[in-house]
């Protein structure tokens, strides 16, 4: 699902369309899982991959595993996250990275601060 707000965004400055995404012009994407906010970092969805800025709120979780036909890599920018890949739990902290290849995954942020991650997903799913 695409949120209504993702249809409206700040117009890119002349010469930046399709090349630059300013921090205040990121498009919210995906379905809103309770406690997770995703924004598109890629200028659009025309590439073979998409780059996502994800914020996992404190004490939020996705406890029902999901799987999608993608290859994904992520990098923890700040905070901590527990990520299950094919049922195996990994405790990730700032500077850690991960890969998911069509495996079922779920996540939880049991901590008191949000976790911020950058994800690259191929092919784009949003």
């Amino acid at each position: 699902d695409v949120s209504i707000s993702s249809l409206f965004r700040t117009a890119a400055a002349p010469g930046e369309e399709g090349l630059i995404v300013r921090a205040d012009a990121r498009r919210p994407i995906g379905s809103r899982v309770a406690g997770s906010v995703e924004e598109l970092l890629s200028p659009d969805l025309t590439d073979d991959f998409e780059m996502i800025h994800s914020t996992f709120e404190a004490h939020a979780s996705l406890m029902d595993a999901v799987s999608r036909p993608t290859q994904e890599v992520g990098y923890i920018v700040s905070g901590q996250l527990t990520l299950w890949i094919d049922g195996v739990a990994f405790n990730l902290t700032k500077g850690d990275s991960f890969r998911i290849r069509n495996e079922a995954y779920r996540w939880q942020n049991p901590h008191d601060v949000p976790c911020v991650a950058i994800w690259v997903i191929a092919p784009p799913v949003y």
Side-chain angles (χ1 to χ4, degrees), residues 31-36 38 56-57 59-68 72 81-85 100 103-110 119 126:
S31 60
R32 293 286 186 233
V33 174
S36 174
E38 294 180 305
F56 304 93
E57 298 298 335
H59 305 287
S61 62
L62 172 66
M63 297 311 290
D64 293 329
V66 296
S67 179
R68 45 193 182 193
E72 307 182 28
L81 189 71
T82 302
L83 179 66
W84 286 264
I85 302 172
I100 300 169
E103 293 118 343
Y105 72 92
R106 62 187 179 103
W107 57 264
Q108 181 178 36
N109 179 2
W119 292 56
Y126 297 108

Side-chain angles (χ1 to χ4, degrees), residues 12 15-21 41-44:
E16 292 186 355
E17 184 68 37
L19 300 173
I20 306 297
V21 178
L41 295 176
S42 302
D44 53 40

Side-chain angles (χ1 to χ4, degrees), residues 80-94:
Q80 301 176 65
L81 189 71
T82 302
L83 179 66
W84 286 264
I85 302 172
D86 268 351
V88 179
F90 301 93
N91 294 311
L92 305 173
T93 61
K94 179 181 176 179

Side-chain angles (χ1 to χ4, degrees), residues 103-126:
E103 293 118 343
Y105 72 92
R106 62 187 179 103
W107 57 264
Q108 181 178 36
N109 179 2
H111 306 285
D112 293 331
V113 297
C115 174
V116 175
I118 303 298
W119 292 56
V120 177
I121 304 170
V125 295
Y126 297 108

Side-chain angles (χ1 to χ4, degrees), residues 42 44-51 120-124:
S42 302
D44 53 40
L45 296 173
T46 61
D47 293 309
D48 294 335
F49 63 92
E50 63 190 351
M51 185 178 281
V120 177
I121 304 170

